[in-house]
Amino acid sequence: MKDKRYQSLQILNIAQMLSAFADNAIFFVILGLLASKGFSDPEGEMVMVQAGFLLAYVLLAPFVGTFADKHRKSHVLVVGNLIKAAGVGLLFSGISPAVSYALIGLGAVVYSPAKYGVLVEICKDAIQMLMKANAKLESSTIAAILLGTLAGGFLATFSPSMGMLVCMALYVISIALAPFIICDEGNSKLRYGSSAREFLREVRWMMSRPTLRFSLFGTSAFWMTSAVLRIAFLMWLSQYLQVTDPFQQSMVVGITGVGIVIGAILAPKLVPIAKFHQSYLFGFLMVVVIVLAVIPIHVYLTAVLLLLVGVFGAVFIIPMNTIVQDEGKRMVGSGKTIAIQNFCENILMLSGIGIFQYLLSVGLDVQIAILIIGAILGGFVVYIRSLVSQFNGEIHDQEMRSVSSR
């Protein structure tokens, strides 16, 4: 049985890598598509494209967790990737890239609770195994983000149409792998109407636990910052370092993914699960590096600093992800837990994009806008640091479970 669990984790990692690769490649393919259509500011147009993607997470969060828990999660993974493939298909029809990417976002929001929920089902109650599996899934995901970013940048320059075909093929392969992942049967008794009504109550319930509030605010603040920086540094590179080629832009922005892979490997060693509350320290380091990264000295220095943003960011969020999944499964179910986490994260991501767009619309320089987003991240880190003293008892419980699972 243990071999089957590890085999399923390997298949899940491969399927997730392919899907995440396509998710990120298509972002830059759309950027290249906009440039090929003669848009004067394709980087600026990507703000609205990204917003449409995130909006799907917020609007569907009350339902997708129930969908993931109601059905076998391997089947849910298939449905999510089918929707993503349909979104790519719309790009061939000439419809607005923002609409197409919003449909890909719909597929992603369906896919995500099942991706993390099945991880919990495979690992069962072994929190140390879950921590390691989480780090491996996160590192393989970020490796896919990195490679997808680079490939997307290349395909955007070479042939956006070829890029769309590649992404479509990867979604199809990921669909084919999903049925081989072992997982529990779904709970057919769940009902969408009643579950949706319970959703906000469950959000409040999870937020009432200091450890979960610490983790949910921490991961949400990280992804808010990441969503903004992804677009902001495309604009910053163009304006401050005259890097306008999509492939070169993708290489610089994608280096953050290398950092996250490194950070995911280091996270279990730097922040053991029993001391997960110490992860906020790496949030402060992330803020410092963001401030340094907007100093326009040389593109290589920018790349090194973005690498460090990724390293510190991964060590910051991976222990928090583990706590959310472990605690949330017992409180509301694994699928709903991830849906609630996605809901919280994407509200902040959408808010961050909105704040960034507003700052630009009132005439602020992109460099100042990035610094303001970094300051907002710093405010969240200060807040979650203030929560640590509230959950000494919960930390003790984590230590006891950590010992008993060895």
Side-chain angles (χ1 to χ4, degrees), residues 32-208:
L33 192 63
L34 291 172
S36 69
K37 289 185 175 181
F39 282 84
S40 59
D41 182 22
E43 292 88 3
E45 293 292 327
M46 292 304 291
V47 175
M48 294 307 299
V49 171
Q50 178 82 336
F53 183 94
L54 298 175
L55 187 61
Y57 275 91
V58 175
L59 295 179
L60 294 179
F63 306 99
V64 291
T66 302
F67 182 68
D69 287 337
K70 187 179 177 70
H71 304 279
R72 287 182 65 87
K73 291 181 176 57
S74 58
H75 295 168
V76 179
L77 294 175
V78 169
V79 172
N81 275 326
L82 281 172
I83 297 172
K84 292 180 186 181
V88 177
L90 284 182
L91 286 174
F92 286 103
S93 70
I95 200 168
S96 167
V99 174
S100 299
Y101 201 52
L103 186 57
I104 295 171
L106 173 60
V109 71
V110 170
Y111 186 92
S112 185
K115 171 184 69 177
Y116 286 107
V118 76
L119 195 66
V120 176
E121 291 179 2
I122 293 171
C123 296
K124 299 301 181 184
D125 295 323
I127 191 170
Q128 290 294 336
M129 182 181 182
L130 178 61
M131 174 75 166
K132 292 177 181 178
N134 213 311
K136 188 172 182 180
L137 183 67
E138 204 70 35
S139 60
S140 63
T141 298
I142 300 305
I145 291 173
L146 168 64
L147 295 173
T149 296
L150 296 177
F154 170 75
L155 290 167
T157 303
F158 175 70
S159 171
S161 296
M162 178 64 73
M164 290 185 278
L165 286 172
V166 169
C167 292
M168 181 77 78
L170 292 176
Y171 287 136
V172 170
I173 296 171
S174 185
I175 288 168
L177 289 173
F180 295 98
I181 300 171
I182 60 168
C183 54
D184 299 339
E185 292 293 335
N187 182 358
S188 61
K189 296 179 180 179
L190 294 175
R191 295 292 178 266
Y192 295 108
S194 59
S195 295
R197 288 191 294 272
E198 292 173 0
F199 183 78
L200 291 179
R201 180 180 63 82
E202 290 168 340
V203 171
R204 291 194 296 270
W205 190 15
M206 288 183 68
M207 285 291 186
S208 69

Side-chain angles (χ1 to χ4, degrees), residues 143-399:
I145 291 173
L146 168 64
L147 295 173
T149 296
L150 296 177
F154 170 75
L155 290 167
T157 303
F158 175 70
S159 171
S161 296
M162 178 64 73
M164 290 185 278
L165 286 172
V166 169
C167 292
M168 181 77 78
L170 292 176
Y171 287 136
V172 170
I173 296 171
S174 185
I175 288 168
L177 289 173
F180 295 98
I181 300 171
I182 60 168
C183 54
D184 299 339
E185 292 293 335
N187 182 358
S188 61
K189 296 179 180 179
L190 294 175
R191 295 292 178 266
Y192 295 108
S194 59
S195 295
R197 288 191 294 272
E198 292 173 0
F199 183 78
L200 291 179
R201 180 180 63 82
E202 290 168 340
V203 171
R204 291 194 296 270
W205 190 15
M206 288 183 68
M207 285 291 186
S208 69
R209 294 283 296 272
T211 50
L212 287 175
R213 191 158 70 250
F214 175 94
S215 299
L216 286 170
F217 272 103
T219 59
S220 298
F222 168 81
W223 287 115
M224 174 205 72
T225 308
S226 297
V228 175
L229 294 185
R230 184 187 200 187
I231 296 173
F233 270 97
L234 289 177
M235 301 172 68
W236 184 88
L237 285 167
S238 176
Q239 294 178 24
Y240 279 87
L241 296 179
Q242 289 71 54
V243 178
T244 57
D245 179 75
F247 182 53
Q248 293 177 339
Q249 289 176 335
S250 69
M251 289 183 67
V252 178
V253 174
I255 201 70
T256 306
V258 176
I260 296 180
V261 172
I262 296 170
I265 295 169
L266 296 176
K269 301 178 179 65
L270 295 177
V271 185
I273 191 62
K275 297 181 179 180
F276 75 94
H277 54 287
Q278 295 180 352
S279 59
Y280 76 87
L281 295 169
F282 293 88
F284 281 127
L285 291 173
M286 186 178 168
V287 172
V288 171
V289 177
I290 290 172
V291 172
L292 295 175
V294 295
I295 301 173
I297 297 175
H298 195 280
V299 67
Y300 290 154
L301 178 60
T302 301
V304 170
L305 292 171
L306 290 179
L307 175 78
L308 291 176
V309 168
V311 173
F312 296 144
V315 182
F316 179 54
I317 68 162
I318 284 176
M320 296 180 186
N321 274 340
T322 304
I323 293 301
V324 169
Q325 292 166 23
D326 184 57
E327 295 290 327
K329 179 188 176 183
R330 286 190 286 272
M331 293 182 72
V332 299
S334 58
K336 286 186 178 181
T337 295
I338 303 306
I340 289 170
Q341 186 177 14
N342 283 339
F343 178 71
C344 295
E345 290 175 357
N346 283 278
I347 281 181
L348 277 191
M349 289 165 75
L350 198 57
S351 299
I353 293 289
I355 291 170
F356 179 71
Q357 180 66 27
Y358 172 75
L359 293 173
L360 296 181
S361 70
V362 297
L364 278 186
D365 185 86
V366 65
Q367 187 178 50
I368 302 300
I370 293 173
L371 290 174
I372 290 174
I373 295 299
I376 293 173
L377 171 63
F380 275 106
V381 176
V382 169
Y383 171 69
I384 65 172
R385 168 65 183 85
S386 72
L387 294 173
V388 173
S389 61
Q390 298 182 29
F391 53 74
N392 288 332
E394 293 190 21
I395 292 173
H396 177 71
D397 291 342
Q398 292 294 332
E399 291 173 345

Side-chain angles (χ1 to χ4, degrees), residues 9-30:
L9 288 175
Q10 290 174 343
I11 295 172
L12 176 63
N13 279 323
I14 294 170
Q16 166 58 12
M17 279 191 72
L18 296 176
S19 188
F21 182 103
D23 290 349
N24 288 272
I26 201 66
F27 178 86
F28 283 92
V29 168
I30 290 173

